[in-house]
Amino acid sequence: NHPSVTGAVGDVSKCVVACSSEPRLATPFLFRFSEGGLAPHSLKNLVLSALSLQQGGEHGLALFHQLLRVPAHIRVCPASWERSVLQVGLQNGRVVGGETYIDTISHSPLWHPTHHAIARVWLDPLPTANPLVCRAIAEADYLLLAPGDFFTSLIPALLPLGIAHAIKNSQ
């Protein structure tokens, strides 16, 4: 049971929606609230968060798959169930933490690609890989990484302890 909601909700929910066998059912989940108390959240993130808090992470995610009618042979899993914060070290020595802040670095008028290039990426604390993910990697014919930004979605999915080892040992 995983009673908290982790930062992986956005990427995981996006993948589950993309795997839905019912596009007409899935499309409303992409709705993002632009005003009011729910802004700037999307319906997919709110529903998955509610299911995870009520049912636990794994059971909530399984229900989300069912709700969106994802075929039984497809399962989307977060790289880890543990909470951690994405950190980046910039070329100038500054450390920036949190996906939202990292995503907005290049939009700042003070940002300069030479001085603010990302030099290092890590998770704090370093989480342990989701065992289901390691098992899926070992059994997979192909590996597909979650959609999203290179530094805030793809690299962090590879960082939990056990993921790199599972990929290295996969066929």
Side-chain angles (χ1 to χ4, degrees):
N1 237 356
H2 306 280
S4 65
V5 177
T6 67
V9 168
D11 289 336
V12 170
S13 66
K14 189 182 303 179
C15 291
V16 174
V17 168
C19 293
S20 175
S21 62
E22 300 277 344
R24 286 185 13 197
L25 177 65
T27 301
F29 283 89
L30 299 174
F31 178 79
R32 186 169 295 276
F33 295 89
S34 58
E35 54 189 62
L38 296 177
H41 301 289
S42 67
L43 183 58
K44 65 182 178 50
N45 291 1
L46 293 173
V47 171
L48 179 55
S49 295
L51 290 170
S52 295
L53 288 170
Q54 187 179 50
Q55 303 291 322
E58 290 179 59
H59 295 296
L61 183 55
L63 284 172
F64 196 57
H65 280 80
Q66 290 175 5
L67 181 65
L68 285 162
R69 297 190 182 141
V70 174
H73 68 281
I74 297 174
R75 282 297 160 255
V76 177
C77 300
S80 177
W81 287 108
E82 298 171 21
R83 186 178 297 276
S84 64
V85 177
L86 179 63
Q87 306 281 333
V88 296
L90 303 179
Q91 193 71 35
N92 66 2
R94 184 171 173 216
V95 172
V96 179
E99 180 180 349
T100 302
Y101 298 111
I102 295 165
D103 275 342
T104 59
I105 292 171
S106 63
H107 300 295
S108 167
L110 302 175
W111 184 82
H112 188 276
T114 306
H115 304 294
H116 300 104
I118 294 175
R120 185 173 164 234
V121 181
W122 68 97
L123 296 172
D124 185 31
L126 183 59
T128 303
N130 177 348
L132 294 173
V133 171
C134 291
R135 191 168 35 253
I137 290 170
E139 297 171 0
D141 294 324
Y142 300 96
L143 297 178
L144 303 174
L145 298 178
D149 182 76
F150 183 69
F151 288 111
T152 58
S153 293
L154 299 178
I155 289 180
L158 301 172
L159 295 177
L161 287 172
I163 298 282
H165 179 75
I167 292 171
K168 181 180 176 185
N169 292 323
S170 70
Q171 298 301 315

